[in-house]
Amino acid sequence: MLRLTEIKLPLNHDENAINSAIVEKLKIKPEQLHSVNVFKRGFDARKKTDIQLIYTLDIEVDNETALLNSFAKDQHVKPAPDTSYNFVAKAPATLTERPIVIGLGPCGLFAGLLLAQMGFKPIILERGKEVRERTKDTFGFWRGKELNTESNVQYGEGGAGTFSDGKLYSQVKDPKHYGRKVMSEFVVAGAPDEIMYVSKPHIGTFKLVAMVEKMRANIIALGGEIRFSSRVDKLHIDNDQLTGLTLSSGEQLNSKHVVLAVGHSARDTFQMLYDEGVYVEAKPFSIGFRIEHEQSMIDECRFGPNAGNPILGAADYKLVHHCNNGRTVYSFCMCPGGTVVAAASEQGRVVTNGMSQYSRHERNANSA
């Protein structure tokens, strides 16, 4: 299989244009092309009146070796990489000690899922509630009711990302294609197939709720155990070796293998770790605010006369300014067609976040 990159086509090209572009690029006959898979699709909107779609394609053709040799100097024609996920271990048949995962946000969810898929039957502890009950508490808070400090935007199944845009991209390099595993599991759980190839995939809150439930069911079916309303209050450390933990209920669990996936808002847990002598290092963080503006304005600025095109969807943006004093000002967590929501997890505190549904059809955009 070959990978072709930087295949550019007009925004509203017809369905045969991709195959025609491949045939023209490789100078082959149409019958020599056997299969085409869109690995990635982005766009170039620098010229608003002529927006181009940019494709990365995995293809099967006749005489692949000969074609690679003839395009040896073309960096846009290469062998397609192996993107399959390889498990690092398999649980022994005589497993006597189950690993424990603390937290059921994105990190804990995937740590638990992978451990379960490898046969380790993890125990997953989540201080908040299961996602449906948590949704009731969160929407109730937004409608003016009381804050539940153990069940809110920060705490509960799915983590803070459940009440967010569900953005599934980052700026980190991924040479081993671990992100592909994440996307594949999301699709199995009910995410749209398009997240496998669009350049900035997202899911949206309402779709995420059902997906998180399916992933939980998968973990349980593989022998995992998930306990809600189970806050970890103490770690047991003997001669610098973790041996277990104590829950807020007083129950003790023994294990030398614990994954800490507590998120950034579990300040009481970080205090407990510090008190137990665990080395904790402060991380630099950004301070800012969240601003709203009309989505139609962003669409017009980014896409000009092509604003509203369904392929492009609601436009996003990113702004960066490097100050003369060495500091930097930048936007982040931009939510097209979304809303600003209250995201507090402690009484007397104010926290805001941005959130979009899959459609991104709200009037305003917002960005931190």
Side-chain angles (χ1 to χ4, degrees):
M1 186 171 284
L2 302 182
R3 172 161 293 181
L4 307 185
T5 57
E6 293 294 312
I7 300 296
K8 296 184 178 182
L9 293 170
L11 176 60
N12 295 308
H13 66 75
D14 63 52
E15 60 181 356
N16 297 317
I18 292 179
N19 285 24
S20 298
I22 295 169
V23 168
E24 181 180 351
K25 168 74 176 178
L26 298 180
K27 298 178 176 58
I28 59 175
K29 296 178 180 179
E31 56 267 26
Q32 291 179 269
L33 178 61
H34 299 300
S35 71
V36 179
N37 177 60
V38 177
F39 184 80
K40 189 69 67 179
R41 186 190 72 197
F43 59 83
D44 182 348
R46 287 175 293 182
K47 189 175 181 180
K48 298 179 181 63
T49 57
D50 185 27
I51 294 176
Q52 298 283 304
L53 296 179
I54 306 174
Y55 288 93
T56 296
L57 306 170
D58 288 341
I59 65 170
E60 288 182 307
V61 293
D62 289 336
N63 304 316
E64 289 184 2
T65 302
L67 279 172
L68 282 172
N69 290 334
S70 63
F71 285 89
K73 295 183 179 180
D74 189 336
Q75 63 178 338
H76 300 305
V77 182
K78 298 289 184 182
D82 181 7
T83 60
S84 57
Y85 183 79
N86 298 309
F87 291 100
V88 298
K90 183 179 180 180
T94 57
L95 181 69
T96 58
E97 188 174 87
R98 299 167 69 182
I100 297 173
V101 179
I102 304 175
L104 195 55
C107 178
L109 187 63
F110 273 92
L113 179 63
L114 289 175
L115 286 167
Q117 289 174 340
M118 291 188 287
F120 285 98
K121 300 180 180 179
I123 299 171
I124 306 176
L125 307 172
E126 169 55 53
R127 69 188 294 171
K129 298 180 181 180
E130 61 92 13
V131 70
R132 295 281 174 180
E133 288 300 313
R134 177 189 175 208
T135 300
K136 293 178 184 177
D137 292 334
T138 300
F139 277 76
F141 174 53
W142 289 345
R143 294 180 181 123
K145 296 182 180 179
E146 203 133 327
L147 170 67
N148 184 334
T149 56
E150 295 296 315
S151 180
N152 45 62
V153 170
Q154 309 291 358
Y155 300 146
E157 183 180 23
T162 305
F163 300 100
S164 183
D165 195 53
K167 289 183 278 287
L168 301 176
Y169 53 89
S170 73
Q171 294 178 313
V172 302
K173 296 185 183 300
D174 186 18
K176 295 186 178 180
H177 307 285
Y178 291 144
R180 199 75 177 169
K181 169 67 170 172
V182 173
M183 299 297 190
S184 298
E185 292 294 347
F186 278 148
V187 171
V188 169
D193 290 340
E194 70 186 39
I195 70 169
M196 298 298 294
Y197 63 85
V198 296
S199 59
K200 291 185 176 180
H202 77 106
I203 296 176
T205 292
F206 288 161
K207 288 182 181 291
L208 278 167
V209 169
M211 287 166 51
V212 166
E213 286 183 318
K214 289 182 180 178
M215 295 177 77
R216 181 218 308 169
N218 192 8
I219 292 171
I220 294 171
L222 291 169
E225 178 183 349
I226 298 177
R227 301 188 187 185
F228 295 106
S229 301
S230 298
R231 190 182 71 236
V232 175
D233 279 357
K234 183 177 177 59
L235 296 180
H236 306 159
I237 301 174
D238 185 15
N239 293 324
D240 294 329
Q241 169 67 60
L242 180 68
T243 60
L245 49 83
T246 300
L247 303 179
S248 56
S249 64
E251 181 182 0
Q252 295 188 9
L253 299 176
N254 297 321
S255 180
K256 296 185 181 68
H257 308 285
V258 176
V259 177
L260 277 170
V262 298
H264 61 60
S265 295
R267 283 169 280 276
D268 50 1
T269 303
F270 292 125
Q271 184 65 51
M272 178 269 291
L273 292 171
Y274 182 77
D275 293 341
E276 293 288 344
V278 176
Y279 177 74
V280 178
E281 181 177 345
K283 179 182 178 181
F285 64 95
S286 301
I287 274 186
F289 58 92
R290 191 166 286 273
I291 186 170
E292 284 186 302
H293 26 234
E294 290 188 353
Q295 182 62 47
S296 59
M297 179 185 73
I298 306 302
D299 292 344
E300 177 68 24
C301 289
R302 289 293 317 279
F303 301 145
N306 286 295
N309 187 293
I311 294 176
L312 299 174
D316 64 358
Y317 66 81
K318 181 178 180 180
L319 300 174
V320 178
H321 175 70
H322 298 280
C323 306
N324 291 332
N325 63 1
R327 303 300 291 271
T328 305
V329 183
Y330 55 92
S331 64
F332 64 95
C333 192
M334 194 272 167
C335 296
T339 55
V340 176
V341 297
S345 58
E346 296 175 275
Q347 295 288 358
R349 306 282 182 170
V350 176
V351 183
T352 60
N353 195 21
M355 174 180 126
S356 297
Q357 301 301 343
Y358 174 71
S359 61
R360 290 179 166 176
H361 59 36
E362 297 295 332
R363 176 183 176 183
N364 288 336
N366 69 80
S367 180

